[in-house]
Amino acid sequence: MSPRKSQLSSAALRVRRPWKRWVLFVLLGLFAFSGFRAVQKLRAAPTWWEQNRSFLETAPPADLERLAKAVQVRAPREWTRPVGQGDGQRTLGFGFDEINAWLALKLTPLLRNQGVRLPSLAGAMITERDGQLVAAVSQDNGKALRVYSLFFEVTRAIDATGAQTSEPAFRLDAIRLGNQGLPLALIAQFADPSSIKDPTLRELFTQLAAGEAVGPLILPVDAHRKARIQGFRVTEAGVELDVAVSYNDDNRTKN
């Protein structure tokens, strides 16, 4: 190649190379922006969490105590109320303000009583979004507050024959950290199922963590009776459940 042609080739390469550098800069910029946005989404506090935080901070302490006490008194009273011969149907309804006031004041002692230790737990709440039940918990790792939101789908329970029933079943549908979706398996980070004392609660937690639909729900009322959840409704204001209470044996022992 003649010197003249060599000089022309080198000049042509110098002309071509700048656009490659610009492409690289653009790609790096896009990558950095995507990473920044992902971090922002992880650290973001969902609107429902901010609304509940504002409610807890602005409500007078006496009002929060009254709301929490309403749940603490009404729930066991209605749950164990002797309808008929001690069994029968009953409907329980609770507003989200009541539930969230109770969670703010009573959740930590309840978990401690169950042997569940969550030292980084900073708060919890329940709400509704687009017809779904949402439970949110916050984790304080000493550096930042992270808000995890658990979305539950209410489906129909399946009986022993494999047929769908009218009773509700509950399945963990999605988990978000801030506004970013996460794998469902991460629910195991919230608590170790083996540390939960109550066998019924331990089994429920294990099934939810496995992504299974839980239902029909059959929960203990006392030493002689059990409750079966037959209906569950989520509204913008709270939740309602229909409960059927029956005796544990066919003889309806009431000793």
Side-chain angles (χ1 to χ4, degrees), residues 84-106:
Q85 298 299 313
D87 52 4
Q89 306 276 344
R90 71 280 317 271
T91 297
L92 289 78
F94 301 98
F96 288 129
D97 284 352
E98 292 179 320
I99 296 172
N100 291 331
W102 184 88
L103 289 172
L105 300 179
K106 309 297 182 181

Side-chain angles (χ1 to χ4, degrees), residues 109-117 191-206 220:
L110 174 66
L111 292 176
R112 188 184 303 120
N113 183 58
Q114 283 295 322
V116 180
R117 295 185 178 182
D192 177 8
S194 64
S195 68
I196 301 175
K197 292 180 180 179
D198 187 285
T200 302
L201 292 178
R202 184 168 59 246
E203 177 62 21
L204 289 177
F205 188 92
T206 301

Side-chain angles (χ1 to χ4, degrees), residues 62-173:
D63 287 352
L64 290 179
E65 188 66 40
R66 175 180 55 80
L67 289 168
K69 189 174 181 180
V71 174
Q72 196 160 336
V73 171
R74 192 165 72 249
R77 183 188 66 203
E78 290 299 313
W79 190 256
T80 61
R81 183 162 57 92
V83 180
Q85 298 299 313
D87 52 4
Q89 306 276 344
R90 71 280 317 271
T91 297
L92 289 78
F94 301 98
F96 288 129
D97 284 352
E98 292 179 320
I99 296 172
N100 291 331
W102 184 88
L103 289 172
L105 300 179
K106 309 297 182 181
L107 179 60
T108 299
L110 174 66
L111 292 176
R112 188 184 303 120
N113 183 58
Q114 283 295 322
V116 180
R117 295 185 178 182
L118 298 174
S120 61
L121 180 67
M125 66 165 292
I126 292 178
T127 189
E128 174 272 343
R129 281 298 178 275
D130 298 325
Q132 277 193 299
L133 183 67
V134 182
V137 295
S138 61
Q139 179 188 39
D140 187 353
N141 61 10
K143 297 179 181 179
L145 191 68
R146 296 183 174 184
V147 180
Y148 295 86
S149 301
L150 285 69
F151 293 75
F152 291 89
E153 178 186 12
V154 181
T155 63
R156 294 298 181 185
I158 304 298
D159 64 19
T161 67
Q164 192 177 70
T165 72
S166 61
E167 296 176 307
F170 304 84
R171 186 180 68 84
L172 183 59
D173 185 48

Side-chain angles (χ1 to χ4, degrees), residues 13-63:
L13 286 174
R14 286 196 296 269
V15 171
R16 293 194 192 102
R17 283 174 184 165
W19 74 266
K20 293 183 178 180
R21 288 198 294 269
W22 280 111
V23 169
L24 180 60
F25 290 150
V26 170
L27 291 175
L28 289 174
L30 289 174
F31 179 77
F33 179 75
S34 298
F36 174 74
R37 286 291 296 150
V39 171
Q40 274 193 323
K41 291 176 72 174
L42 290 171
R43 292 180 176 177
T47 54
W48 51 86
W49 183 267
E50 291 295 348
Q51 290 167 356
N52 185 60
R53 183 180 62 83
S54 177
F55 159 68
L56 295 176
E57 289 179 351
T58 57
D63 287 352

Side-chain angles (χ1 to χ4, degrees), residues 172 175 182-190 208-211:
L172 183 59
I175 298 178
L182 295 177
L184 296 182
L186 287 182
I187 190 176
Q189 290 189 0
F190 297 124
L208 287 173

